[in-house]
């Protein structure tokens, strides 16, 4: 039977000092029961509390617990990436540090990997424990991104098991900076398997997603996976043209028949509709330009400020392809 030489657990943590010790204990208990070599990598995503100290305490007790501290809060996506790059296992499980992703699922994730899956997605069965508002938000988010982005999110979560092959692709071969982990895991292809789970209540503390944060993630997700909104601009333009032609015909007919065009109201309405259509279209194009600008700067997606039990490597840059050499002009 296929057994991983090493199983890595990656947990992004932002201001989780209160619960991180408890989470690590729960994860460790599950890992010990599996009876295979393991490591836990906790990425402190620029916490303002004692999270990194707690990681240090856990690591002092058990060298298989390792920590990475980002220089500031770069967001969960970057924290996940940092963790994936630091992970050395043949299989890597990513899960939240707040125990909302039950570690009890590890044996089933591993079984699916043993059966040949390269990506095992743990998908949320119900969101009964979420507030109705949070549920609505999540549903809207998934529907929007799935519809526009053409990627299958269903009730996808960031709780996944990835095979080394897929980890290497996501961690080093995909160079984009603005990432959407869930979407990328679907995009890479390979054999997938899914396991359903019930979202647990947060053990301590509160969820940190603000509505604005979710909207931003939805935009990144959509913009990095599809240019459909840009096509929407073209379609909007076509509609405006048809609308304009109709109104123009009506006005011209009126003029030729000696009827002066009445309708100051029509003018105002037309103007307002046109102006807002143009503004929204500019906004959509602007979002893409902004993303291109951010990507082109080639800044690393995160910076590392501290490590526990991990070798020091280059900052957030993956192995970038060598810079193109300029050919010497021939004499
Ligand atoms: N998280 C992070 N950086 C952030 C926000 C959150 O690393 O900027 C971590 C957080 O510590 C947790 C996971 O991402 O382990 C999920 O966050 P949260 O519980 O706030 O989100 P939700 O469960 O509502 O999706
Ligand atoms: Mg949570």
């Amino acid at each position: 039977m296929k057994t991983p030489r090493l199983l890595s657990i990656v947990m992004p943590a932002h201001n989780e000092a209160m619960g991180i010790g408890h989470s690590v204990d729960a994860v460790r208990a599950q890992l010990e029961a599996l009876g295979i070599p393991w490591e836990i990598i906790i990425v402190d995503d620029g916490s303002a509390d004692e999270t990194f100290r707690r990681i240090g305490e856990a690591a002092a007790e058990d060298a298989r617990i390792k920590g990475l501290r980002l220089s500031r809060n770069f967001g969960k996506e970057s924290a996940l990436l940092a963790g994936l790059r630091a992970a050395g296992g043949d299989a890597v499980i990513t899960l939240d540090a707040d125990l909302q992703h039950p570690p009890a699922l590890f044996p089933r994730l591993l079984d699916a990997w043993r059966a040949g899956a390269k990506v095992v997605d743990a998908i949320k069965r119900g969101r009964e424990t979420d507030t109705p508002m949070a549920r609505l938000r999540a549903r809207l988010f998934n529907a929007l991104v799935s519809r526009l982005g053409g990627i299958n999110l269903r009730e996808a979560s960031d709780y996944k098991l990835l095979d080394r092959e897929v980890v290497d692709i996501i961690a080093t071969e995909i160079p984009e900076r603005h990432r959407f982990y869930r979407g990328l895991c679907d995009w890479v292809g390979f054999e997938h398997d899914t396991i359903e789970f019930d979202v647990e209540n947060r053990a301590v503390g509160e969820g940190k997603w603000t509505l604005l944060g979710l909207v931003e993630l939805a935009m990144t997700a959509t913009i990095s996976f599809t240019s459909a909104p840009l096509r929407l601009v073209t379609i909007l333009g076509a509609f405006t043209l048809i609308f304009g032609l109709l109104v123009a015909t009506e006005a011209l007919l009126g003029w030729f028949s000696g009827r002066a065009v009445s309708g100051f109201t029509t003018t105002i309405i037309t103007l307002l509709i046109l102006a807002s259509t143009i503004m929204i279209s500019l906004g959509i194009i602007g979002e893409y330009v902004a993303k291109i600008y951010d990507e082109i700067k080639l800044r690393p997606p995160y910076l590392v400020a501290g490590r526990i039990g991990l070798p020091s490597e280059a900052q957030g840059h993956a192995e970038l392809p060598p810079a193109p050499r300029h050919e010497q002009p021939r004499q």
Side-chain angles (χ1 to χ4, degrees), residues 1-330:
M1 197 165 64
K2 204 160 93 169
T3 312
R5 275 182 301 108
L6 178 69
L7 172 67
S8 303
I9 307 293
V10 168
M11 293 165 49
H14 176 64
N15 291 345
E16 302 279 4
M18 264 202 297
I20 195 77
H22 182 54
S23 301
V24 169
D25 287 345
V27 169
R28 186 165 42 178
Q30 280 295 328
L31 289 171
E32 294 290 35
L34 288 174
I36 49 173
W38 55 264
E39 64 174 357
I40 300 175
I41 297 170
I42 308 159
V43 184
D44 171 14
D45 183 16
S47 299
D49 64 3
E50 303 267 87
T51 301
F52 199 58
R53 178 175 299 185
R54 293 285 108 77
I55 299 172
E57 287 165 7
E61 276 173 30
D62 192 330
R64 293 169 295 181
I65 299 170
K66 299 160 190 181
L68 207 57
R69 177 168 170 79
L70 305 189
S71 63
R72 64 168 169 85
N73 181 225
F74 280 91
K76 187 184 177 185
E77 294 289 324
S78 295
L80 273 171
L81 177 64
L84 285 178
R85 284 187 181 157
D90 313 320
V92 180
I93 295 176
T94 53
L95 84 162
D96 286 0
D98 56 8
L99 286 186
Q100 286 196 288
H101 296 158
L105 237 58
F106 290 175
R108 290 175 61 203
L109 289 169
L110 215 54
D111 283 345
W113 176 77
R114 287 190 171 117
K118 299 267 184 206
V119 180
V120 190
D121 306 289
I123 62 170
K124 297 167 194 159
R125 186 182 290 133
R127 286 182 157 266
E128 286 78 27
T129 52
D130 284 0
T131 60
M133 185 61 195
R135 234 179 301 168
L136 181 74
R137 239 167 32 183
R139 201 161 297 153
L140 268 177
F141 175 86
N142 283 343
L144 181 78
V145 176
S146 302
R147 192 69 46 81
L148 288 175
I151 38 171
N152 188 2
L153 288 185
R154 285 166 314 225
E155 289 293 281
S157 74
D158 290 334
Y159 188 9
K160 291 177 192 302
L161 181 146
L162 306 183
D163 182 78
R164 169 53 41 193
E165 197 176 348
V166 175
V167 173
D168 283 344
I169 292 172
I170 291 185
T172 55
E173 281 179 40
I174 295 179
E176 68 194 62
R177 272 119 248 280
H178 286 275
R179 282 158 178 269
F180 184 51
Y181 180 61
R182 262 171 270 176
L184 282 180
C185 288
D186 186 59
W187 179 87
V188 293
F190 293 100
E191 297 94 292
H192 277 243
D193 201 351
T194 49
I195 286 171
E196 291 199 332
F197 76 98
D198 294 312
V199 186
E200 302 285 332
N201 269 325
R202 233 174 188 282
V204 287
E206 288 179 343
K208 286 163 209 78
W209 284 110
T210 55
L211 187 58
L212 199 68
L214 264 185
V215 169
E216 246 184 77
L217 185 62
M219 298 252 271
T220 301
T222 315
I223 289 173
S224 54
F225 276 93
T226 175
S227 49
L230 287 176
R231 203 155 302 142
L232 193 74
V233 172
T234 318
I235 296 169
L236 266 177
F239 273 118
T240 324
L241 180 69
I242 295 169
F243 176 68
L245 285 175
L246 287 177
V247 176
T249 317
E250 204 253 335
L252 278 177
L253 282 178
W255 190 73
F256 281 123
S257 61
R259 245 190 316 118
V261 182
S262 66
F264 190 54
T265 326
T266 325
T267 317
I268 292 178
I269 292 173
T270 314
L271 216 76
L272 283 177
I273 291 177
L274 274 183
S276 46
T277 313
I278 293 170
M279 295 300 243
I280 290 172
S281 303
L282 273 179
I284 293 175
I285 298 167
E287 289 295 333
Y288 280 86
V289 176
K291 279 283 183 281
I292 296 170
Y293 176 58
D294 280 346
E295 293 284 337
I296 212 96
K297 280 188 286 195
L298 289 181
R299 284 192 192 153
Y302 58 85
L303 290 172
V304 177
R307 296 180 176 81
I308 301 172
L310 289 167
S312 76
E313 278 166 25
Q315 288 289 7
H317 281 298
E319 294 284 305
L320 285 176
R325 269 184 302 159
H326 296 289
E327 299 264 324
Q328 292 292 324
R330 279 204 209 125

